[in-house]
Amino acid sequence: MKTNNIGVIGMAVMGSNLALNMADHGYHVAIYNRTYAVGEIVVAENPHEKLHLYKELPDFVASLEKPRKIVLMVQAGNAVDKVIENLIPLLDQGDIIMDGGNSNFKDTIRRTKEIEAIGLRYLGVGISGGEEGARFGPAIMPGGSKDAYQYVQAILEDISAKYEGEPCANYMGTDGAGHYVKMVHNGIEYADMQLIAESYAILKHVGSFDNDELASIFTSWNEGELESYLIEITAQIFKEIDPKTGKHMIDVILDRAAQKGTGKWTAEEALNTGTDASLLASSVFARFMSSQKDQRVAASSVLTFDAPKVELADRKHFVEKVREALYASKIIAYAQGFDLLKHASEEYGWDLDFGSISRNFREGCIIRARFLNRISDAYGSNPELANLMIDDSFRDNLLSYQGSLREVIALAVQSGISMPAFTTAISYFDAYRTADSSANLIQAQRDLFGAHTFERVDEDGNFHYEWNQ
Ligand code: NBP
């Protein structure tokens, strides 16, 4: 009996919540999990007349209307290939497999080729928003053939987050485009979080603000141009008290940041596509450094620095400087993220629509922010924009706030506080606006030791100079 509109495989946090979201929107959803007991718990805890659990994969597949639409929400990597391998013999021509996990876009490109070669359809769908998003409206980044997308567009739009009524589920492009955009979303998320963490470090160590004051600072920042989910939760974090000790939660959490790999993929892609995404990469490196807790503790008593005491004349003014430095750095982080998307669009032939991507991030996902409307406006007025930093409106911000960014970094350096993301931000800004760089010396060195040739400022062509004549 083919009664179900869509099927979801994988009943862990994301799959179960996504299936319930679909059921809430009126779809009959077939669900399946390798370990049946996990599915039984989901159904027992969330009884829903439109959610139908199957013990056997053939029964799950047979219950779906055609063309069958099956969403995989299993662990990224081998598990996706395993599930596809098991599904293929059970499917008919034209059936659609959608991978909604955090798959590497290269795997998605490979799977698309393999699956479409045998007459099935494949979509790589980036989903952001965690458990809460999956349940009540995630940001969805679908990639794959438009032919397949037309069959799932309505469902994806229905279950997605809405920004002023507009679904955050825009089609991104062919094969791996959706997973690529999700990867860059995560790369930007790493940078956003690192920049906020560095703001916290300088406010705490130079400004001597306590947790209650920090909560008020971030709350007020969330009422202005920095308004975003990450600033909002940061304000909340500073208020929470640990029931075990009565201390602030933030002070009982070990300073060792974990990661699942999408930030690393973003940094790798910056290298692969020849893009300067140094701020995004520095945020990944900062997590590596944070994880070397034992070495840091040992070094803290050996690599000492007697930091001069900084007397702040006006603490309120200092907070505003940090806010401006954070906002300028945030613009630069997004400039790098969108520049990476631009390079990828050319490299992989995706024809990405940057305005549409920024609108997709406005609700449901972790980097949702008021700021994204401005990115959409920037690409709306110039879809060929070379870099977000030279959009008129962002340029005005950068010109007014660069002074604060420089001052805050100088204070941090003077005080011995590590600020990898802030310093990389200003360095990228300065490099981008430098008409005459020092790369002429690099070319001279390359030509001297390796006869690699160089271009001249006054003549076209490639030249070699006999340096040792
Ligand atoms: P997990 O990433 O923890 O994966 C667990 C699921 O994979 C279970 O259903 C498990 O079945 C299934 N599975 C595994 Br592991 N190996 C399998 C195999 N060989 N065959 C069949 N099923 C297999 O689940 P999640 O946290 O819900 O995430 C799902 C996807 O969504 C991942 O790609 C994740 O990166 C992505 N994502 C997660 C979040 C988040 O906030 N968690 C946010 C956005 C995207 P079992 O019960 O039988 O072991």
Side-chain angles (χ1 to χ4, degrees):
M1 206 177 41
K2 297 172 177 44
T3 51
N4 290 317
N5 308 112
I6 189 159
V8 180
I9 297 182
M11 284 296 112
V13 177
M14 290 298 283
S16 54
N17 282 295
L18 207 68
L20 282 162
N21 184 352
M22 290 170 179
D24 277 351
H25 281 87
Y27 297 101
H28 281 278
V29 188
I31 57 172
Y32 172 85
N33 195 74
R34 177 181 61 173
T35 309
Y36 183 61
V38 173
E40 284 186 309
I41 294 169
V42 170
V43 173
E45 288 179 354
N46 310 277
H48 199 300
E49 56 174 11
K50 292 192 153 70
L51 207 58
H52 313 282
L53 174 67
Y54 293 84
K55 189 170 189 179
E56 304 298 335
L57 193 61
D59 296 336
F60 163 88
V61 170
S63 79
L64 297 167
E65 65 182 17
K66 290 188 185 177
R68 299 184 179 96
K69 296 168 268 304
I70 299 173
V71 185
L72 312 186
M73 291 306 293
V74 299
Q75 196 176 61
N78 290 339
V80 176
D81 289 311
K82 271 265 168 285
V83 176
I84 291 172
E85 198 183 304
N86 295 338
L87 271 176
I88 284 175
L90 305 172
L91 298 180
D92 294 317
Q93 297 279 300
D95 285 350
I96 301 160
I97 301 176
M98 282 187 271
D99 174 14
N102 272 342
S103 289
N104 187 298
F105 78 100
K106 287 183 185 155
D107 285 334
T108 304
I109 293 175
R110 168 180 60 80
R111 289 174 186 139
T112 304
K113 276 203 192 91
E114 290 169 1
I115 288 166
E116 304 219 327
I118 55 171
L120 300 174
R121 296 168 166 131
Y122 197 72
L123 291 167
V125 182
I127 297 181
S128 175
E131 177 177 0
E132 185 82 0
R135 181 69 185 87
F136 299 109
I140 303 180
M141 292 145 258
S145 71
K146 276 234 158 157
D147 174 41
Y149 180 61
Q150 61 175 319
Y151 291 99
V152 297
Q153 181 173 357
I155 302 181
L156 295 183
E157 288 181 355
D158 282 350
I159 64 163
S160 75
K162 311 287 180 302
Y163 181 84
E164 292 178 357
E166 215 181 298
C168 295
N170 298 336
Y171 173 77
M172 297 291 152
T174 54
D175 53 51
H179 278 139
Y180 199 96
V181 172
K182 172 72 204 303
M183 177 194 78
V184 175
H185 162 284
N186 286 22
I188 293 173
E189 176 187 310
Y190 272 60
D192 248 347
M193 292 169 74
Q194 180 63 25
L195 290 167
I196 293 172
E198 289 176 18
S199 306
Y200 160 53
I202 196 157
L203 288 169
K204 178 178 168 182
H205 296 299
V206 175
S208 304
F209 289 98
D210 65 23
N211 291 319
D212 295 331
E213 290 171 310
L214 287 165
S216 320
I217 290 169
F218 280 91
T219 301
S220 73
W221 285 1
N222 199 42
E223 285 155 10
E225 58 193 355
L226 274 170
E227 182 190 331
S228 60
Y229 171 70
L230 283 170
I231 295 285
E232 180 191 327
I233 63 166
T234 303
Q236 182 201 333
I237 287 165
F238 288 121
K239 291 180 197 156
E240 299 290 335
I241 302 294
D242 174 31
K244 283 190 194 162
T245 58
K247 295 180 181 169
H248 279 90
M249 270 316 295
I250 187 71
D251 295 329
V252 298
I253 296 175
L254 194 69
D255 59 336
R256 210 157 38 194
Q259 57 187 315
K260 282 194 173 165
T262 43
K264 189 181 104 184
W265 292 349
T266 312
E268 284 171 359
E269 265 304 289
L271 294 173
N272 290 339
T273 57
T275 313
D276 184 341
S278 43
L279 201 173
L280 274 49
S282 76
S283 308
V284 183
F285 292 141
R287 292 205 192 181
F288 294 160
M289 180 58 90
S290 82
S291 70
Q292 300 184 17
K293 175 76 174 175
D294 296 346
Q295 284 191 49
R296 288 190 289 111
V297 170
S300 67
S301 56
V302 184
L303 302 175
T304 52
F305 170 58
D306 207 0
K309 180 93 187 97
V310 175
E311 292 297 339
L312 296 174
D314 181 345
R315 288 175 90 221
K316 214 170 150 194
H317 185 62
F318 172 67
V319 171
E320 179 56 10
K321 293 266 170 205
V322 178
R323 189 196 70 79
E324 291 182 357
L326 175 58
Y327 196 66
S329 303
K330 186 179 166 89
I331 294 171
I332 295 165
Y334 280 70
Q336 291 192 352
F338 277 81
D339 195 37
L340 180 55
L341 289 172
K342 188 159 163 276
H343 279 89
S345 187
E346 286 158 15
E347 176 97 13
Y348 305 108
W350 284 327
D351 200 18
L352 297 176
D353 178 337
F354 308 115
S356 163
I357 292 170
S358 58
R359 285 192 293 283
N360 216 70
F361 291 159
R362 287 180 305 183
E363 221 15 283
C365 65
I366 306 297
I367 64 170
R368 60 186 182 262
R370 178 202 283 202
F371 172 80
L372 286 153
N373 274 320
R374 297 188 56 202
I375 299 185
S376 169
D377 292 347
Y379 285 111
S381 49
N382 181 8
E384 306 303 324
L385 191 63
N387 188 299
L388 265 185
M389 295 190 300
I390 55 166
D391 163 72
D392 287 351
S393 146
F394 285 125
R395 186 202 55 208
D396 288 350
N397 278 138
L398 286 168
L399 295 187
S400 346
Y401 292 171
Q402 61 171 315
S404 294
L405 180 54
R406 293 178 199 281
E407 270 183 58
V408 168
I409 289 169
L411 263 179
V413 172
Q414 259 179 19
S415 310
I417 300 169
S418 171
M419 305 277 272
F422 271 32
T423 48
T424 314
I426 198 70
S427 190
Y428 177 80
F429 175 75
D430 283 337
Y432 193 76
R433 58 176 205 87
T434 296
D436 287 311
S437 75
S438 52
N440 49 342
L441 179 58
I442 308 246
Q443 284 301 80
Q445 291 166 333
R446 292 180 70 244
D447 190 57
L448 189 153
F449 65 65
H452 293 301
T453 76
F454 51 85
E455 294 168 291
R456 292 182 60 96
V457 294
D458 51 2
E459 218 179 314
D460 285 341
N462 292 308
F463 298 88
H464 170 61
Y465 177 72
E466 285 302 328
W467 298 93
N468 300 318
Q469 59 195 324

